[in-house]
């Protein structure tokens, strides 16, 4: 007996498809996705209309594409669709870089404004296995005197020199000593903590400049772009670019006393000052939320030179973090719907305890507004992965519509309507996802580099 592999059945179906009418349109449809792993199928039709006269210039239906128009999934996360994530990463890179050196309608003058790249961390909720490196050598995880035990009878120290892929990294030395409720509540209110920080930073800067809050707001504008990144212990870090502009935003320089050094000091002070009392103190005990003491603040070079961090490096970091999800902390992809899903989740114990704590607290009244069950698969975090203030630079939407407009212009040119103002009016409905075996074969050939991406 012979067993057909998926590739073999794909080849058979491809040959059959190639012999039928409409093969070329079908193939172009798949090629256009650039190898997207999970495209969306649409059925319907569209008409290209002359905006001035209302004349229908050209109509087309999904039949021209072999029955279904395929659209790339557009997922941000590299673990879900590496192809779409690569595009998202490239856009994020452009957006962050524009806010640092200008471009995409942001003036080049921002390159001379004070800017720092800061990392705000979560505090500790109990000792976890950590890889420590100093002078290029890996150190012991938590050296303690032998014979010291926690109340649950587990050693309080760990002398292991953990390898980078050690599965214990990020896990608590004693899960029963670890404050899971604190960790989950911190994560669920991390967005609020960030907002408090942004307010506190303005307050600190005003005070250091000897101005009132109002006077400061009239002289200096604060812009930022930030991204949340999961650490191995399942808690996020915020990586953030902070820039200070003059009264009119990016077009104007801030007053002379506003320097990069001042900004760096103010970020450190503000991050140390922010406090937030967690909800539900009467149920799980009083907890005051704050950022971790490990705060990394680095000035960004005005020009790509010297010791300072370059604009390109910062844009690269943020773009990379922006395509990661909670899976880097070992969490699951999709939403969890019921408690009976919990024991079957393909996650390590530590992650399961984070998720389980979200589920348990999420059922209690004081935590209702945190929607912990809805966000249990994100280990409690319910904020956006990447956000920026309005004046930082361009938006992802602007970059995407510029690309869509470029494609539309190419189509107008191809049909000979190049200089007429046109509108595409479409009626589409969702008709499924994924690939047939023969389409998967074409997509695979794109991914392995045979064909270029025209998205
Ligand atoms: Zn995709
Ligand atoms: Zn250890
Ligand atoms: Zn213990």
């Amino acid at each position: 007996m012979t067993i057909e592999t998926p590739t073999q059945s794909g080849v058979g179906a491809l040959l059959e498809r190639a012999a039928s009418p409409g093969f070329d349109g079908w193939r172009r449809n798949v090629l256009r996705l650039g190898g997207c792993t999970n495209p969306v199928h649409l059925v319907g039709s569209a008409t290209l209309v002359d905006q001035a006269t209302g004349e229908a210039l050209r109509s087309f239906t999904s039949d021209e594409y072999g029955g279904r128009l395929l659209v790339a999934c557009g997922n941000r996360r590299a673990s879900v669709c590496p192809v779409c994530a690569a595009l998202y990463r490239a856009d994020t890179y452009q957006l962050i870089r524009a806010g640092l050196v200008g471009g995409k309608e942001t003036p080049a003058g921002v390159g001379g404004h004070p800017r720092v790249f800061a990392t705000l961390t979560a505090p500790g909720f109990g000792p976890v296995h950590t890889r420590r490196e100093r002078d290029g050598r890996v150190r012991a995880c938590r050296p303690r005197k032998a014979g010291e035990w926690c109340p649950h009878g587990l050693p309080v120290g760990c002398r292991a020199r953990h390898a980078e892929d050690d599965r214990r990294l990020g896990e608590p030395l004693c899960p029963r000593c670890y404050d899971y409720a604190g960790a989950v509540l911190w994560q669920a209110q991390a967005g609020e903590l960030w907002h408090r920080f942004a307010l506190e930073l303005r307050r600190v800067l005003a005070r250091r400049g000897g101005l009132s809050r109002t006077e400061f707001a009239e002289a200096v504008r604060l812009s930022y772009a930030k991204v949340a990144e999961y650490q191995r212990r399942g808690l996020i870090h915020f990586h953030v670019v902070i820039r200070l502009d003059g009264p009119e935003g990016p077009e104007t320089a801030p007053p002379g006393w506003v320097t990069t050094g001042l900004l760096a000091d103010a970020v450190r002070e503000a991050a140390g000052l922010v406090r937030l009392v967690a909800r539900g103190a009467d149920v799980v005990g009083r907890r005051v939320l704050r950022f971790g003491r490990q705060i990394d603040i680095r000035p960004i070079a005005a020009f790509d030179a010297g010791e300072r961090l370059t604009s390109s490096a910062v844009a690269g970091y943020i773009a990379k973090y922006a395509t990661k999800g909670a899976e880097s902390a070992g969490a699951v992809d999709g939403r969890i719907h019921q408690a009976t899903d919990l024991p079957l989740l393909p996650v390590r114990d530590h992650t399961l305890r984070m998720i389980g704590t979200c589920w348990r607290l999420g059922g209690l009244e004081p935590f209702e507004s945190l929607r912990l069950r809805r966000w249990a698969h994100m280990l409690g975090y319910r904020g956006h992965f990447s956000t920026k203030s309005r004046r930082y630079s361009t938006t992802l939407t602007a970059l995407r519509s510029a690309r869509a407009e470029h494609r539309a212009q190419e189509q107008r040119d191809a049909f000979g309507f190049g200089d007429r103002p046109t509108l595409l009016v479409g009626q589409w409905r969702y008709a499924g996802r994924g690939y047939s075996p023969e389409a998967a074969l074409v997509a695979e050939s794109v991914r392995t580099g045979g064909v270029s991406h025209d998205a």
Side-chain angles (χ1 to χ4, degrees), residues 114-131:
R115 292 110 19 108
V116 297
F117 181 53
T119 298
L120 304 178
T121 62
F125 294 96
V128 297
H129 292 283
T130 313
R131 183 180 155 85

Side-chain angles (χ1 to χ4, degrees), residues 15-27 63-67:
L15 292 177
E16 213 161 290
R17 175 72 81 164
S20 58
F23 173 67
D24 207 46
W26 173 86
R27 188 177 56 173
D63 292 343
E64 290 177 40
Y65 298 99

Side-chain angles (χ1 to χ4, degrees), residues 36-38 72-75 81 84:
C36 167
T37 46
N38 194 17
C73 75
N75 199 293
C81 181
C84 293

Side-chain angles (χ1 to χ4, degrees), residues 129-130 141 158 160 162:
H129 292 283
T130 313
C141 168
C158 168
H162 295 294

Side-chain angles (χ1 to χ4, degrees), residues 226-241:
K226 80 176 204 306
V227 61
E229 186 212 12
Y230 280 87
Q231 307 297 300
R232 283 200 251 227
R233 58 182 168 145
L235 293 166
I236 54 160
H237 279 178
F238 287 127
H239 301 282
V240 54
V241 173

Side-chain angles (χ1 to χ4, degrees), residues 125-274:
F125 294 96
V128 297
H129 292 283
T130 313
R131 183 180 155 85
R132 294 182 207 282
E133 240 175 309
R134 204 152 22 100
D135 311 325
R137 286 185 54 211
V138 184
R139 307 278 156 159
C141 168
R142 275 182 71 81
R144 294 288 182 280
K145 262 195 242 113
E148 279 187 62
W149 315 89
C150 81
H152 310 101
L154 292 174
V156 297
C158 168
R159 299 196 156 268
R161 296 170 202 274
H162 295 294
E164 265 181 76
D165 58 352
D166 193 321
R167 290 171 54 86
R168 285 173 293 174
L169 287 173
E171 301 202 346
L173 270 72
C174 172
R176 289 159 78 194
C177 283
Y178 194 77
D179 179 15
Y180 281 98
V184 158
L185 291 177
W186 183 90
Q187 189 117 287
Q189 293 187 252
E192 276 172 79
L193 208 56
W194 162 262
H195 283 292
R196 297 254 175 143
F197 164 77
L199 289 175
E200 191 65 50
L201 178 57
R202 290 183 176 91
R203 207 171 291 146
V204 170
L205 284 165
R207 181 166 45 70
R208 289 183 175 231
L211 303 182
S212 72
R213 286 289 315 282
T214 320
E215 288 166 337
F216 177 77
E218 282 165 4
V220 182
R221 297 260 179 188
L222 188 150
S223 278
Y224 67 83
K226 80 176 204 306
V227 61
E229 186 212 12
Y230 280 87
Q231 307 297 300
R232 283 200 251 227
R233 58 182 168 145
L235 293 166
I236 54 160
H237 279 178
F238 287 127
H239 301 282
V240 54
V241 173
I242 303 174
R243 188 187 72 217
L244 297 177
D245 300 327
E248 306 304 322
E251 291 77 21
T252 49
W257 60 269
V258 180
T259 62
T260 302
L262 173 84
L263 174 60
D265 291 347
V267 167
R268 189 175 302 282
E269 184 182 342
L273 286 173
V274 187

Side-chain angles (χ1 to χ4, degrees), residues 177-437:
C177 283
Y178 194 77
D179 179 15
Y180 281 98
V184 158
L185 291 177
W186 183 90
Q187 189 117 287
Q189 293 187 252
E192 276 172 79
L193 208 56
W194 162 262
H195 283 292
R196 297 254 175 143
F197 164 77
L199 289 175
E200 191 65 50
L201 178 57
R202 290 183 176 91
R203 207 171 291 146
V204 170
L205 284 165
R207 181 166 45 70
R208 289 183 175 231
L211 303 182
S212 72
R213 286 289 315 282
T214 320
E215 288 166 337
F216 177 77
E218 282 165 4
V220 182
R221 297 260 179 188
L222 188 150
S223 278
Y224 67 83
K226 80 176 204 306
V227 61
E229 186 212 12
Y230 280 87
Q231 307 297 300
R232 283 200 251 227
R233 58 182 168 145
L235 293 166
I236 54 160
H237 279 178
F238 287 127
H239 301 282
V240 54
V241 173
I242 303 174
R243 188 187 72 217
L244 297 177
D245 300 327
E248 306 304 322
E251 291 77 21
T252 49
W257 60 269
V258 180
T259 62
T260 302
L262 173 84
L263 174 60
D265 291 347
V267 167
R268 189 175 302 282
E269 184 182 342
L273 286 173
V274 187
R275 295 284 184 277
L276 185 64
V277 177
R279 264 158 248 201
D282 47 340
V283 183
V284 290
R286 183 181 152 87
R287 284 179 178 77
V288 179
L289 308 177
R290 57 173 179 81
F291 285 114
R293 277 182 242 288
Q294 256 187 332
I295 298 167
D296 186 49
I297 302 163
R298 291 197 272 170
I300 302 169
F303 304 99
D304 287 3
E307 287 288 280
R308 288 181 164 194
L309 204 55
T310 67
S311 300
S312 311
V314 171
Y317 288 138
I318 296 214
K320 189 185 82 191
Y321 298 142
T323 58
K324 285 172 72 178
E327 76 281 351
S328 54
V332 284
D333 262 355
R335 189 173 162 183
I336 297 155
H337 293 278
Q338 52 208 12
T340 48
D341 292 344
L342 296 178
L344 301 174
L345 293 175
V347 298
R348 59 181 178 155
D349 294 355
H350 174 61
T351 309
L352 183 61
R353 284 189 291 264
M354 290 286 286
I355 293 174
T357 305
C358 287
W359 196 269
R360 183 171 67 81
L361 297 183
L364 304 174
E365 193 268 321
F367 307 110
E368 213 167 281
S369 62
L370 300 178
R371 304 176 68 207
L372 284 166
R373 287 189 174 178
R374 170 72 184 83
W375 298 106
H377 65 296
M378 302 304 271
L379 314 183
Y381 183 60
R382 65 206 158 105
H384 290 289
F385 268 85
S386 51
T387 49
K388 56 174 214 56
S389 59
R390 197 170 49 83
R391 288 169 184 256
Y392 176 76
S393 71
T394 184
T395 61
L396 286 176
T397 313
L399 291 174
R400 285 182 193 129
S401 42
R403 194 161 45 232
E405 178 47 40
H406 175 71
R407 260 205 309 266
Q409 185 60 44
E410 281 181 343
Q411 279 194 345
R412 281 197 292 272
D413 291 345
F415 297 134
F417 309 125
D419 40 10
R420 293 168 82 165
T422 56
L423 188 70
L424 192 64
V425 185
Q427 276 200 315
W428 302 98
R429 67 179 173 77
Y430 175 80
R433 296 202 77 134
Y435 287 116
S436 60

